[in-house]
Amino acid sequence: MATNLPISSRRRKPFFLLLTLILILTFSLIYPLYPLYSRQSPISNIPSLTSSSPPPCGALPSDLTNGHWSNDTTPRQPLYGATCPFHRNAWNCLRNGRAHMDSINSWSWFPDRCAGDPVPRIDPVRFLRAMRGRKIGFVGDSLNENFLTALLCVLWSGDETARKWKRKGAWRGGYFPKFDLIVGYHRSVLLANYTWIPVEELIQFAKDGIKGIYRVDADVAADDWTRVTKFYDVLIFNTGHWWGPDKFPKDKPLVFFTKGKPIDPPLGIRDGLNAVINSMVSYIEREVPGRTLKLWRTQSPRHFFGGEWDHNGSCLFDKPLKVDELDSWFDSKNNGINREAREVNSIIREAILGTRIELFNLTYLSEFRADAHPAIWLGKKDAVSVWGQDCLHWCLPGLPDTWVDLLTAQILHYFGR
């Protein structure tokens, strides 16, 4: 049939074939770039792996572990005061009259790779704008609540219309209406499900000398947070501070179960912690979407000096510890009362190795700050005589604000903002 076409048509055919080939080649070159310019593309939320510029100061995990404290530059000024509506009474050290608050807030953390500069202070409004419509969740014990409170108060300084939020089973939280941002906390001190069984209901356990047991289902995540695994864009987990005889004494021990049956032989508390953390890591890997930023916060160190919390342990310090003092406080070889932070961290590191959960290692920079706890300034009469000094939690404003600077830098970097 082609031989019967007019000569003009036969001349035009090669031209159209050439034009078609050019269009196909052009489209093939342009199309791979299209998602980079599409607002709806998930690629736009992920940092470029080929970028030649280094991540901002504070955005790398190493920025938490390689650095030093200094107050030789212009002292940091807190972004909020005693009137923040998200404060918790015992941590509101300004209102409680804690001594040396100016000194506590004068110290800045200087990561080694940041050319002599401290971690930049968060710009609350910029962060709120960048995270518009997103949700940030904390899951764990009161040290994560301490962290959450600092973040809420810092962000409140950028949006004072923020209001308290307790939906989705959250223990507490905040909503920032101008930016449609939610920050929530789900209290789950062991992460795994645990229930009290009084001695009268025990059948298969020895009853001598106990009042009952706490049954811990090491392979079952607690209801406190299982319903929100797909709700948040960022999740920060922790556990460890409840895993001791002060919370679970010999007459009320933890007994570990798996697949509905007691583990035999029974696990001690540290082996039980190991079993729970590994199970929870597996659960997070299965149930939390891959696009979610998942962080596991390492242990916040205690600073009891001279005894445990119930044996006159004290933290009446007015300046940070020195580098050469840290091991004497925290190395397990010294069998000190504050050693558990590093011991728990070793379990955490091994459990998340090779997973999509990132380590947020705030332990080392926090080990220095023996000066930054509420100590005797707890805001309630006779609190110290009942509970002892608080050398576990942190004053606000204070050290957790530096955690916030580092956390928000990493969040912005993750989402390419």
Side-chain angles (χ1 to χ4, degrees), residues 280-330:
M280 296 305 103
V281 166
S282 296
Y283 181 83
I284 294 166
E285 284 280 272
R286 291 194 313 270
E287 298 296 328
V288 180
R291 67 179 180 275
T292 303
L293 174 58
K294 298 169 282 291
L295 299 171
W296 197 296
R297 179 182 67 68
T298 61
Q299 294 306 94
S300 168
R302 312 185 311 160
H303 286 92
F304 288 101
F305 181 78
E308 271 282 8
W309 66 273
D310 56 348
H311 286 78
N312 298 317
S314 177
C315 50
L316 297 176
F317 298 92
D318 59 6
K319 59 184 178 182
L321 300 178
K322 297 177 181 178
V323 174
D324 58 7
E325 295 178 295
L326 298 186
D327 283 349
S328 65
W329 280 71
F330 304 108

Side-chain angles (χ1 to χ4, degrees), residues 43-88:
I43 295 177
S44 64
N45 289 333
I46 301 174
S48 171
L49 298 178
T50 59
S51 174
S52 59
S53 59
C57 181
L60 289 183
S62 61
D63 293 338
L64 285 84
T65 56
N66 300 325
H68 67 279
W69 290 98
S70 177
N71 63 356
D72 292 338
T73 58
T74 303
R76 289 162 48 102
Q77 295 299 319
L79 296 175
Y80 60 93
T83 60
C84 169
F86 297 105
H87 263 305
R88 182 167 162 177

Side-chain angles (χ1 to χ4, degrees), residues 217-247:
D217 290 285
D219 55 345
V220 180
D223 290 340
D224 307 271
W225 62 278
T226 55
R227 292 168 288 180
V228 294
T229 53
K230 296 172 178 61
F231 179 71
Y232 291 103
D233 300 285
V234 180
L235 279 167
I236 303 105
F237 296 92
N238 95 294
T239 189
H241 295 287
W242 274 59
W243 295 77
D246 56 324
K247 299 296 185 183

Side-chain angles (χ1 to χ4, degrees), residues 80 84 86-88 91 138 144-154 172 396 401 404:
Y80 60 93
C84 169
F86 297 105
H87 263 305
R88 182 167 162 177
W91 308 332
F138 292 76
N144 250 10
E145 184 183 3
N146 207 179
F147 196 173
L148 162 114
T149 304
L151 177 59
L152 287 174
C153 284
V154 165
R172 62 182 300 207
L396 298 178
D401 298 340
V404 167

Side-chain angles (χ1 to χ4, degrees), residues 104-119:
I104 287 173
N105 285 286
S106 71
W107 296 88
S108 297
W109 178 251
F110 288 75
D112 290 346
R113 76 173 184 94
C114 295
D117 293 325
V119 171

Side-chain angles (χ1 to χ4, degrees), residues 18 23 33 37 48 53 76 102 111 140 152 157 183 218 267 291 304 315 319 337 349 351 369 373 389-391 403:
L18 179 60
L23 289 173
L33 299 178
Y37 299 96
S48 171
S53 59
R76 289 162 48 102
D102 287 343
L152 287 174
S157 71
V183 181
L267 299 181
R291 67 179 180 275
F304 288 101
C315 50
K319 59 184 178 182
I337 57 178
R349 287 192 192 94
R369 299 306 305 274
H373 297 282
Q389 292 189 32
D390 188 349
C391 303
W403 300 350

